[in-house]
């Protein structure tokens, strides 16, 4: 839906993430080891960054492929848009007899049309989170262990994209408990969901990067 905006110059928070991505291309093991002027003076990036690293690493790969052109760099993230839209439709289909219209209303809304074309963490998070929720509901309703494991992996990737994804965990865990899932299994799912972000925080803390939250 944001195709007409893909060639727009970098704006909003995109330069922030682009700076980290360019640092990754120079030193992939130290993504925050540089100073950046975001609030009026140059300070260590680790003191102002509040986003986990997955977007920046994906963006670094995209920059490597495209050379940094706005249109094609944004276009490479189209799979996340499609995954989010499909996941939303599939999730609506689990609860509604006619899920298409509500899904299209969401996709046509300004939050989606204006935000999902930006190279920011919400775009990647949504691409993991909506399929994750569909798989999770499918797993709980159908006692599908394989779908449960895949949903945990996608939840982990969603939280590694943006910490805000953790707010869906309590709702998911309550749904699972009401659906008869045993507490140890739900605990394992929850721990898997936050494991990637927890590892990132731990490594960053001991390395002195102070990634923030």
């Amino acid at each position: 839906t944001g195709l007409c905006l893909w060639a727009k110059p970098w704006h909003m928070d995109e330069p922030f993430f682009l700076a980290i991505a360019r640092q990754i291309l120079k030193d992939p093991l130290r993504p925050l080891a540089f100073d950046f002027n975001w609030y009026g003076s140059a300070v260590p990036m680790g003191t102002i960054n509040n986003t986990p690293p997955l977007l920046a690493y994906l963006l670094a790969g995209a920059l490597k492929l495209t050379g940094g052109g706005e249109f094609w760099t944004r276009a490479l993230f189209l799979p996340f848009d499609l995954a989010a839209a499909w996941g939303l439709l599939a999730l609506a289909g689990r609860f509604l007899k006619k899920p298409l219209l509500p899904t299209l209303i969401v996709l046509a809304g300004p939050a989606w049309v204006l935000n999902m074309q930006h190279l920011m963490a919400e775009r990647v998070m949504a691409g993991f989170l909506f399929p994750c929720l569909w798989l999770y509901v499918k797993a709980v309703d159908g006692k599908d262990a394989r779908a449960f494991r895949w949903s945990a992996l996608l939840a982990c990737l969603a939280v590694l994209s943006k910490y805000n994804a953790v707010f869906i965990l309590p709702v998911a865990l309550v749904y699972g408990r009401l659906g008869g899932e045993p507490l140890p299994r739900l605990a394992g799912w929850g721990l898997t969901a936050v494991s990637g972000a927890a590892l990132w925080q731990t490594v960053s803390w001991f390395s002195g990067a102070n990634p923030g939250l």
Side-chain angles (χ1 to χ4, degrees):
T1 54
L3 178 61
C4 61
L5 302 173
W6 282 0
K8 188 174 181 179
W10 305 124
H11 62 296
M12 296 181 67
D13 290 349
E14 290 175 329
F16 187 95
F17 298 114
L18 286 163
I20 301 175
R22 294 187 181 109
Q23 168 66 16
I24 289 171
L25 291 175
K26 294 186 293 184
D27 190 349
L29 297 180
R30 302 174 68 213
L32 304 179
F34 66 103
D35 291 345
F36 190 65
N37 185 350
W38 190 243
Y39 295 114
S41 61
V43 298
M45 175 58 90
T47 65
I48 57 176
N49 175 63
N50 61 1
T51 303
L54 185 54
L55 168 64
Y57 279 97
L58 293 172
L59 187 50
L63 291 177
K64 186 73 172 179
L65 290 174
T66 66
E70 286 91 344
F71 183 91
W72 289 112
T73 304
R74 289 196 178 101
L76 284 178
F77 283 77
L78 178 62
F80 293 100
D81 306 351
L82 298 177
W86 173 84
L88 181 61
L89 177 62
L91 184 63
R94 299 289 296 185
F95 299 100
L96 302 173
K97 292 182 179 180
K98 297 181 179 180
L100 182 58
L101 180 58
T103 302
L104 291 176
I105 290 173
V106 173
L107 298 183
W112 196 286
V113 172
L114 296 180
N115 287 330
M116 285 296 283
Q117 47 82 27
H118 293 138
L119 287 180
M120 295 194 291
E122 291 82 0
R123 187 178 186 182
V124 176
M125 179 187 71
F128 290 125
L129 191 57
F130 284 116
C132 160
L133 292 175
W134 170 71
L135 282 168
Y136 183 83
V137 171
K138 181 175 182 286
V140 172
D141 293 349
K143 307 304 177 186
D144 188 333
R146 184 178 180 184
F148 201 82
R149 289 191 294 269
W150 278 108
S151 71
L153 174 61
L154 291 179
C156 177
L157 294 174
V159 177
L160 261 177
S161 303
K162 191 173 179 66
Y163 294 124
N164 290 1
V166 300
F167 291 114
I168 201 63
L169 267 60
V171 177
L173 294 175
V174 169
Y175 184 88
R177 187 57 180 162
L178 293 175
E181 294 293 335
L183 286 176
R185 191 180 188 198
L186 292 174
W189 187 90
L191 290 173
T192 301
V194 301
S195 61
L199 179 61
W200 159 249
Q201 285 285 322
T202 302
V203 171
S204 298
W205 181 267
F206 282 105
S207 67
N210 186 23
L213 279 171

